[in-house]
Amino acid sequence: MFDQALGVAFVPERMPTLTRLLGRMLGDLETIQTPAKRGFTRARPFVAEPAETCFTPEPWLAASGSYPSGHSAMGWAWALVLSEMAPDRADQILARGLAYGDSRAICGVHYASDVEAGRIVGAALFAALKANPTFQVDFATARLELARERRLAR
C-alpha cells in the first residue's frame, strides 16, 4: 500500500518489528472502531442509496457499519507512523494515506464524513501510542529496519 510512497517494497520478513507494530495498530483500531460502528449503525452508501461501486461488495460489507471508516483510520494511522520513520518521504506517504481513505468514498463504500471520522480515529490512536513506552521501543527498532531497507534499495 505504501511501497511507492516509501520508495521501497515492504517485505514483512525483512521488517519484522515494523510488521508487528502495524499489525498491533490494526488490532487497536478494531478495538476502537467496532463499538463505534455498532453504535452509529450508519448504512453504507451503496445500501442506503443503491449506486455503482468500484467493486462488487461482499454481503458482509453491506451489514457492516459505514461510520467511521476503518480503512481510512488504518491508512491515516499508518501514514502518520511511516512519515515519522521516513520524514524525507513524508509528503508522498501522507498523500498516499489520504488517497487510501478518499478511495473509500470514491468507490461508494463510505460517505466523505465516514472517511474524515476514520482519519480522526487514526490520528487519535497514533497520538495515544506515541505515549506508550512499548510502542516507542518498537517504533525505534522499526525505524532502523525501514532505514536499512531503504539504503539497500538505492
Side-chain angles (χ1 to χ4, degrees), residues 26 29-30 33 37 66 68-75 100 110 114 118:
L26 185 56
L29 284 167
E30 285 298 317
Q33 75 185 9
K37 283 182 177 278
S66 187
S69 166
H71 283 84
S72 299
M74 178 194 67
Y100 189 69
H110 281 290
D114 303 336

Side-chain angles (χ1 to χ4, degrees), residues 3-152:
D3 289 6
Q4 187 174 7
L6 281 168
V8 66
F10 181 82
V11 180
E13 298 79 19
R14 296 185 55 83
M15 295 180 262
T17 306
L18 179 56
T19 301
R20 189 174 58 252
L21 182 140
L22 296 176
R24 278 197 315 249
M25 288 179 71
L26 185 56
D28 292 338
L29 284 167
E30 285 298 317
T31 300
I32 296 167
Q33 75 185 9
T34 299
K37 283 182 177 278
R38 288 185 183 139
F40 288 110
T41 62
R42 182 180 201 181
R44 291 179 181 269
F46 68 90
V47 173
E49 307 160 20
E52 299 257 342
T53 58
C54 295
F55 57 90
T56 303
E58 296 289 331
W60 66 264
L61 188 60
S64 170
S66 187
Y67 185 91
S69 166
H71 283 84
S72 299
M74 178 194 67
W76 191 239
W78 286 359
L80 293 172
V81 166
L82 295 171
S83 68
E84 281 205 18
M85 289 183 182
D88 61 309
R89 303 287 297 183
D91 289 347
Q92 296 92 330
I93 293 165
L94 294 172
R96 179 64 186 115
L98 289 172
Y100 189 69
D102 290 344
S103 74
R104 303 301 288 173
I106 291 166
C107 283
V109 295
H110 281 290
Y111 295 101
S113 58
D114 303 336
V115 171
E116 281 303 312
R119 289 179 182 142
I120 291 168
V121 169
L125 173 64
F126 180 56
L129 287 173
K130 285 181 73 170
N132 179 302
T134 302
F135 179 85
Q136 291 172 3
V137 169
D138 285 347
F139 182 92
T141 302
R143 178 187 283 176
L144 294 173
E145 290 174 352
L146 180 59
R148 180 192 67 232
E149 291 302 308
R150 292 181 71 215
R151 277 193 308 277
L152 291 172

